[in-house]
Amino acid sequence: MMKLIMRCIISLFRLLPVKPVMLFESMSEFQDNSKALFEEMLAQGLNKKYKMIWFVGNPTLMQNQIEPNVRFMKRSGITKKSLAYLYYNCVAKYCFYTHEVLGYRTDDKQIRFFLTHGTPLKDSRGCFGSAENHTHILATSDFASELRAKSLLGGIDKMQVLGFPRTDKMFREDMGTEKFLAKYEYKKLIVWLPTFKHINNSDRVDFATDSDQDISLISPAFFKTLNEKLAATETLLIIKFHPNQDLRFVSFYDLSHIVTLSNQEMLQERIDLYALLGKSDALITDFSSVYFDYLLLNKPIGFELADMSNYSSGRGFLVDEPLDYMPGAKIRDEVGFLQFIHQIAQNEDIHVLERAKLCVKMNDHHDNKSAKRILEFLELDGANA
């Protein structure tokens, strides 16, 4: 009954004219490509012409983000949407999102721009609905477009190779991130970004064989040894868990040289993930597509692959030989992890050319102007707005 009522309301709201409204969404709340594009819009004064609405899980966390004509609203549930949510999704001119498709019009008067949350390496086919839902789909290169189209089972004609706005942040100062890092003393900064295995609020598990710990190398004993190595090399390790990660399956160990962060803590501290990456000396990840973006910095990458065979037999990958797309140290055990820390401390880097070669394949644009390119493409930049 509720779905029938919602369909009737949407049909009525679709009859209304399009209004100067922009909608934004990001599964990680106020982060990712949506945030970076939004900030460029504010810099160009587009909030003077458009009402900008963000759908987030907890609007109270956004009290410090007060701007004229900007509103943060509670994200609605899957089966029950508020009247305001339905209304704005039917009358908004522009919709920008990384996960949940925004925009309910069926005519050509509404632009629905799927900004995505990265170029997929993992096999995500069937996870994001039909490509027909989107007017445009953002990509970073022709090859990246092919991977995204493969994950969406179509949509190659909708790909716009303009680059990810979030990577702009790697080359810019960010006040919240700077304030956070100022708390620590270090000579080297390494960021560890594991992808999720158990997805939050879902029965989905991406392992072939389930386990009670999603990161095999995280244990009290190893972290004690790891912290000693980090202290000896004056290295700070920040572990940021994926916003989709079910935190019941990971452990938090904050030691003198190890900091673990959840997505909520990032928001509370006003840390921008990509500004943090820009300040780092190296990245550790596994199968997360973040490293395709990190290639733009051409800094060392360590791939933590202790559970790769379990993942390969579970969710799997979009490419036949994923190791061919990992230009960096392959970390499969505690010894390899400690060795990577040592290499970073000693400025040892043997994968420079490999990274540069893959970067050209994955990124057409090597600058901090992706958000500007999107606005120019949509004729929303300062000259046309």
Side-chain angles (χ1 to χ4, degrees):
M1 176 62 75
M2 181 59 66
K3 289 184 178 180
L4 177 60
I5 294 174
M6 283 173 52
R7 284 198 294 266
C8 292
I9 293 172
I10 290 172
S11 295
L12 290 173
F13 282 159
R14 281 173 176 162
L15 299 176
L16 298 173
V18 168
K19 300 184 181 298
V21 173
M22 292 181 171
L23 306 183
F24 299 86
E25 175 274 349
S26 178
M27 177 271 298
S28 52
E29 299 287 29
F30 189 60
Q31 290 280 1
D32 216 286
N33 284 321
S34 299
K35 175 193 174 188
L37 180 61
F38 167 78
E39 289 180 339
E40 179 61 31
M41 290 178 173
L42 290 184
Q44 296 199 24
L46 290 181
N47 57 317
K48 297 175 182 177
K49 180 176 180 181
Y50 292 91
K51 182 181 183 69
M52 297 181 170
I53 298 175
W54 267 89
F55 295 115
V56 296
N58 187 357
T60 59
L61 290 177
M62 313 312 301
Q63 292 176 350
N64 293 326
Q65 301 290 342
I66 299 175
E67 297 285 349
N69 222 20
V70 174
R71 179 182 178 188
F72 289 89
M73 293 178 57
K74 175 78 173 177
R75 180 185 288 116
S76 295
I78 296 175
T79 58
K80 186 178 181 180
K81 308 289 188 183
S82 68
L83 278 176
Y85 186 93
L86 298 177
Y87 170 77
Y88 284 119
N89 271 274
C90 289
V91 303
K93 173 63 177 177
Y94 295 99
C95 305
F96 302 100
Y97 47 90
T98 63
H99 285 75
E100 182 179 351
V101 179
L102 300 178
Y104 293 164
R105 295 189 76 90
T106 55
D107 55 30
D108 60 357
K109 296 179 180 179
Q110 185 177 70
I111 302 297
R112 294 182 297 277
F113 210 134
F114 183 26
L115 300 178
T116 83
H117 59 289
T119 300
L121 178 69
K122 301 178 292 184
D123 190 348
S124 54
R125 283 175 287 193
C127 294
F128 295 101
S130 171
E132 295 304 312
N133 293 328
H134 320 298
T135 309
H136 305 296
I137 303 169
L138 189 60
T140 58
S141 71
D142 289 340
F143 180 71
S145 297
E146 293 173 10
L147 289 178
R148 176 53 68 188
K150 189 174 182 180
S151 75
L152 292 173
L153 307 178
I156 194 67
D157 58 317
K158 298 187 175 186
M159 300 293 166
Q160 304 298 337
V161 180
L162 302 169
F164 290 152
R166 66 189 187 186
T167 63
D168 297 351
K169 304 285 288 186
M170 294 193 300
F171 304 97
R172 298 176 181 173
E173 299 296 319
D174 180 80
M175 186 179 302
T177 306
E178 295 283 349
K179 183 178 179 181
F180 171 75
L181 290 176
K183 301 176 185 178
Y184 306 96
E185 292 185 7
Y186 56 88
K187 288 186 177 179
K188 297 289 185 179
L189 171 63
I190 300 176
V191 178
W192 184 0
L193 299 176
T195 191
F196 63 91
K197 310 302 193 312
H198 287 81
I199 192 169
N200 193 33
N201 299 320
S202 171
D203 293 330
R204 172 181 156 186
V205 181
D206 285 358
F207 282 135
T209 303
D210 202 0
S211 64
D212 59 1
Q213 174 63 264
D214 279 0
I215 305 174
S216 57
L217 295 185
I218 287 187
S219 69
F222 174 55
F223 266 48
K224 182 177 182 296
T225 301
L226 174 59
N227 192 64
E228 291 172 354
K229 179 68 173 180
L230 293 166
T233 57
E234 298 181 84
T235 301
L236 178 67
L237 176 65
I238 297 179
I239 307 172
K240 162 60 174 66
F241 294 113
H242 193 285
N244 255 349
Q245 174 64 47
D246 189 330
L247 297 181
R248 295 175 300 171
F249 295 90
V250 295
S251 300
F252 285 74
Y253 299 112
D254 281 356
L255 302 173
S256 64
H257 288 70
I258 300 175
V259 179
T260 49
L261 291 172
S262 67
N263 202 62
Q264 184 172 359
E265 289 170 322
M266 293 278 287
L267 289 170
Q268 290 172 337
E269 294 273 1
R270 300 188 70 179
I271 306 166
D272 185 277
L273 176 60
Y274 275 74
L276 182 64
L277 290 175
K279 293 294 182 181
S280 70
D281 295 286
L283 169 70
I284 297 175
T285 188
D286 40 29
F287 328 119
S288 174
S289 65
V290 66
Y291 78 85
F292 289 142
D293 299 342
Y294 198 75
L295 291 170
L296 290 168
L297 297 173
N298 204 0
K299 295 179 180 180
I301 305 172
F303 295 92
E304 190 276 297
L305 304 176
D307 55 14
M308 184 169 182
S309 60
N310 196 8
Y311 194 89
S312 298
S313 302
R315 170 61 56 181
F317 301 95
L318 284 176
V319 296
D320 294 331
E321 301 292 339
L323 290 178
D324 292 346
Y325 295 85
M326 297 182 181
K330 310 302 188 294
I331 302 170
R332 301 183 185 276
D333 52 29
E334 296 175 357
V335 173
F337 202 107
L338 295 175
Q339 184 178 9
F340 183 73
I341 301 299
H342 176 79
Q343 290 170 345
I344 299 307
Q346 296 298 315
N347 296 316
E348 296 177 12
D349 185 4
I350 63 173
H351 300 283
V352 176
L353 295 180
E354 291 177 64
R355 292 195 305 268
K357 182 178 179 180
L358 183 60
C359 186
V360 171
K361 188 180 184 73
M362 303 305 303
N363 298 285
D364 278 10
H365 306 286
H366 301 176
D367 58 23
N368 62 350
K369 298 179 181 179
S370 293
K372 285 186 169 73
R373 272 189 293 275
I374 294 173
L375 298 185
E376 290 171 0
F377 169 75
L378 295 173
E379 298 185 345
L380 283 170
D381 59 300
N384 295 294

